């Protein structure tokens, strides 16, 4: 386990929307370098960059045309290496986004694979043996190549699936995961990783990490074997590099070699019921809703098995949001969001803060789709630095040239405005991250234990090492008697952090409406 992960707090940067320095309306690498001090000032000591590789951008860069070349819109390979260097000088690690399951249809591998004559790339993608033979259970394309066959897709039409094999074969054209061609795909992926790790990259966030081997078993053992092989390479040659998976199954992902796994917004799971239960019929019962929210039981029922089943192998990563998920401002107000962030940043594992969430940027449900974003586009609008500058200080381009339109409402937040408001969510985020860095018990490896929860009650008390933490998202005061604690704790009434009002006596904990507290 890379030691730096134990105190890591990540900042996710969607590069095309962060900071534009050449006035073309699209963010760039130079813009990220320019804002490294801002990221460091938040307390974030690591960055995850969404894809910056050469691409036709039919899926915002998740359709990679060349894994070893930075897209011209962002700069050059040399610019990316300079970002690594400048970030490292400031104590910031950089993870690149690795897309291992598919490429762009414009990738040279795929062009070669489409050729009718056999060559070294013929089996780099999953093809049937007839132009009239489809692929059951998977999207596919036929009639687009001279080659006799149809090819599998992973997502959009532009994203042919790379071939890591099929575990449970049902067709003669399918290859097993141990076939030399499937091994060659894995080795090509390792070659890409080495290319960037040798240039200073600190690891990778892995897109759709569980999707490599098709018709895999329930625990994804064949896909897991691919990652275990890759982890062996990293442990040997790059022991300080990190792998973070988009999997949302830490019991599998962490045992197969990932250092951390995202707790994603999947309908009805623990993360979802904390802050995104608006997707459920019958109204929004998200735990952090002031009125009408549920207690923490639904969250704990999902989270505790995940945590207990994976804590010895790696970390679960809570997210404030990401580029695929509506911002919390769509469903929660700022007072509710502050409590949610307080919870996220005081839980075990490695947390991720999405750019703009620290100022309460809104989900823009009125913007049109951009580069395959569709409903995701509303969470990808340009960063709002200063309301008094052109385009909020994001770009000097004309407004109609911006990558995505910005929030032009009277209540649009900005960094500059938040800096001058001591009650802003920006100051809350900074104070929470600082608290985490200052207290080892709050970092990734600190113990976690439920101290108090009860059916019909919304207050939740938990322990991180020697610290006792309590949250009351409700609009009414809440009390818990110490005699009802589920575990012993040495904590006293020494409050080291609070939102709202809180009291910890020899007899009870008292939390005011919408309050959060940490005692030692």
């Amino acid at each position: 386990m890379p030691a730096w992960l134990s105190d890591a707090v990540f900042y996710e940067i969607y590069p095309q929307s962060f900071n534009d320095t050449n006035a073309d309306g699209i963010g760039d690498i130079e813009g990220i370098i320019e804002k490294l001090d801002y990221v460091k000032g938040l307390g974030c000591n690591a960055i995850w960059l969404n894809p910056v590789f050469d691409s036709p951008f039919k899926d915002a860069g998740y359709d990679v045309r060349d894994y070893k070349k930075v897209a011209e819109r962002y700069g050059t390979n040399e610019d990316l290496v300079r970002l690594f260097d400048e970030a490292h000088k400031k104590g910031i690690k950089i993870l690149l986004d690795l897309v291992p399951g598919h490429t762009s249809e414009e990738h040279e591998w795929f062009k070669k694979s489409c050729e009718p004559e056999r060559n070294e790339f013929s089996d780099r993608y999953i093809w049937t043996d007839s132009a009239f033979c489809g692929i059951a259970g998977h999207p596919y394309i036929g009639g687009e190549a001279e080659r006799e066959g149809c090819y599998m897709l992973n997502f959009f039409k532009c994203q042919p699936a790379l071939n890591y094999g099929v575990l449970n074969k049902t067709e003669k054209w399918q290859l097993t995961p141990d076939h030399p061609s499937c091994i060659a795909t894995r080795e090509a992926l390792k070659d890409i990783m080495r290319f960037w790790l040798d240039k200073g990259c600190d690891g990778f966030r892995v897109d759709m990490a569980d999707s490599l081997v098709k018709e895999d078993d329930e625990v994804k053992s064949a896909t897991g074997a691919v990652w275990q092989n890759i982890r062996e390479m990293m442990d040997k040659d790059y022991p300080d590099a990190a792998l973070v998976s988009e999997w949302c199954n830490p019991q599998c992902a962490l045992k197969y070699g990932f250092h951390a796994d995202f707790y994603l917004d999947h309908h009805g799971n623990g993360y979802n019921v904390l802050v995104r239960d608006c997707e459920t019929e019958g109204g929004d019962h998200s735990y952090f809703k002031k009125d009408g929210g549920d207690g923490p039981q639904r969250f704990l029922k999902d989270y505790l098995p995940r945590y207990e089943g994976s804590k010895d192998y790696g970390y679960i990563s809570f997210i404030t949001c990401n580029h695929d998920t509506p911002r919390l401002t769509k469903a929660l107000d700022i007072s509710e969001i502050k409590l949610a962030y307080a919870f996220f940043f005081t839980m075990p594992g490695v947390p991720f803060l999405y750019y703009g969430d620290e100022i309460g940027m809104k989900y823009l449900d009125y913007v049109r789709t951009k580069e395959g974003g569709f409903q995701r586009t509303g969470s990808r609008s340009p960063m709002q630095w200063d309301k008094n500058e052109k385009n909020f200080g994001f770009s000097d381009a004309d407004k109609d040239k911006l990558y995505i339109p910005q929030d032009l409402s009277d209540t649009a937040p900005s960094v500059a405005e938040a800096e001058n408001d001591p009650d802003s969510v920006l100051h809350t985020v900074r104070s929470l991250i600082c608290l985490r860095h200052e207290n080892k018990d709050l970092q990734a490896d600190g113990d976690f234990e439920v101290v108090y929860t009860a059916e019909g009650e919304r207050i939740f008390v938990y322990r991180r090492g020697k610290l006792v933490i309590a949250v009351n998202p409700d609009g009414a005061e809440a009390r818990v008697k110490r005699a009802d604690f589920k575990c012993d704790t040495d904590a006293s009434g020494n409050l080291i952090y609070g939102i709202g009002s809180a009291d910890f006596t020899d007899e009870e904990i008292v939390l005011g409406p919408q309050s959060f507290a940490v005692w030692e």
Side-chain angles (χ1 to χ4, degrees), residues 291-334:
D291 301 312
D294 284 346
Q297 290 77 22
R298 286 193 298 159
F299 161 72
L300 290 170
K301 183 179 180 181
D302 183 71
Y303 173 75
L304 287 176
R306 295 175 186 264
Y307 173 70
E308 294 295 338
S310 65
K311 65 180 180 178
D312 294 334
Y313 302 94
Y315 305 125
I316 293 173
S317 286
F318 282 85
I319 60 174
T320 62
C321 180
N322 66 23
H323 61 289
D324 288 334
T325 307
R327 293 188 186 270
L328 290 189
T329 47
K330 182 179 181 182
L332 303 182
D333 65 28
I334 292 299

Side-chain angles (χ1 to χ4, degrees), residues 431-450:
S431 65
L432 285 164
I433 296 176
C434 180
L435 178 74
R436 185 180 178 96
H437 288 317
E438 290 177 348
N439 291 272
K440 192 173 180 63
D441 285 342
L442 292 179
Q443 294 168 16
D445 296 298
D447 291 340
F448 170 80
E449 192 170 7
V450 174

Side-chain angles (χ1 to χ4, degrees), residues 15 101 166 316 341 345 376 407 518:
V166 176
I316 293 173
Y341 289 177
F345 288 117
R376 303 174 296 178
D407 180 2
V518 182

Side-chain angles (χ1 to χ4, degrees), residues 439 466-468 489-496 504 518-520:
N439 291 272
K466 67 180 182 297
L467 303 178
V468 169
T489 170
D490 296 328
S492 66
N494 182 23
L495 182 71
I496 65 171
F504 193 163
V518 182
W519 295 277
E520 64 177 0

Side-chain angles (χ1 to χ4, degrees), residues 54-318:
D54 179 52
S55 169
F57 292 100
K58 295 179 181 179
D59 187 21
Y62 284 92
D63 49 324
V64 179
R65 183 163 52 199
D66 187 341
Y67 288 98
K68 295 182 178 181
K69 179 183 177 183
V70 168
E72 185 176 349
R73 61 158 59 165
Y74 300 131
T76 65
N77 285 20
E78 290 72 25
D79 291 330
L80 185 54
V81 171
R82 190 160 57 88
L83 171 59
F84 299 154
D85 293 342
E86 294 300 316
H88 293 162
K89 290 176 186 177
K90 299 177 187 296
I92 298 172
K93 305 287 188 180
I94 303 285
L95 295 194
L96 297 180
D97 211 324
L98 185 66
V99 186
H102 53 259
T103 69
S104 164
E105 61 190 347
E106 296 182 21
H107 196 292
E108 285 302 316
W109 293 347
F110 186 67
K111 292 179 182 178
K112 286 287 188 181
S113 191
C114 287
E115 293 178 359
E117 298 82 12
R118 292 285 300 173
N119 60 67
E120 65 174 304
F121 298 104
S122 294
D123 295 327
R124 183 57 52 89
Y125 299 83
I126 301 175
W127 289 85
T128 69
D129 56 5
S130 168
F132 303 99
C133 173
I135 305 175
H138 296 275
Y140 63 90
I141 295 290
E144 290 283 306
E146 292 184 15
R147 175 176 177 164
E148 176 74 14
C150 299
Y151 58 90
M152 185 185 294
L153 302 175
N154 260 356
F155 195 41
F156 290 160
K157 181 261 179 189
C158 61
Q159 293 164 319
L162 285 163
N163 192 2
Y164 295 87
V166 176
L167 181 60
N168 295 303
K169 283 186 59 175
T170 57
E171 304 288 346
K172 62 181 181 179
W173 47 263
Q174 295 171 338
L175 305 181
T176 58
D178 60 355
H179 189 280
S181 294
C182 301
I183 299 299
T185 304
R186 183 195 70 195
E187 293 304 307
L189 179 63
K190 288 160 69 174
D191 177 64
I192 293 162
M193 296 172 72
R194 290 191 190 97
F195 180 84
W196 290 111
L197 289 166
D198 287 342
K199 293 183 181 300
C201 162
D202 297 293
F204 302 91
R205 173 268 189 186
V206 180
D207 182 64
M208 296 176 63
D210 63 334
S211 70
L212 303 191
V213 176
K214 306 307 181 185
E215 315 308 334
D216 209 340
D217 57 29
E218 188 173 319
V219 295
K220 303 290 182 126
S221 63
T223 294
V226 175
W227 292 117
Q228 286 174 323
N229 178 273
I230 290 171
R231 174 67 183 269
E232 288 174 9
M233 177 268 288
M234 291 181 65
D235 285 349
K236 178 178 179 292
D237 298 331
Y238 308 95
D240 208 34
L243 272 182
V244 180
S245 56
E246 183 190 34
W247 195 313
C248 200
N249 187 342
Q251 299 99 310
C252 285
L254 303 183
K255 290 179 182 179
Y256 290 145
F258 286 93
H259 299 101
D261 181 39
F262 282 119
Y263 205 1
L264 298 171
D265 181 33
H266 290 171
H267 182 70
N269 76 354
Y271 174 78
N272 180 266
V273 301
L274 286 175
V275 290
R276 302 180 185 281
D277 202 39
C278 53
E279 301 164 4
T280 303
E281 291 183 13
D284 189 347
H285 298 286
S286 297
Y287 175 65
F288 286 103
K289 289 293 288 185
K290 176 182 177 181
D291 301 312
D294 284 346
Q297 290 77 22
R298 286 193 298 159
F299 161 72
L300 290 170
K301 183 179 180 181
D302 183 71
Y303 173 75
L304 287 176
R306 295 175 186 264
Y307 173 70
E308 294 295 338
S310 65
K311 65 180 180 178
D312 294 334
Y313 302 94
Y315 305 125
I316 293 173
S317 286
F318 282 85

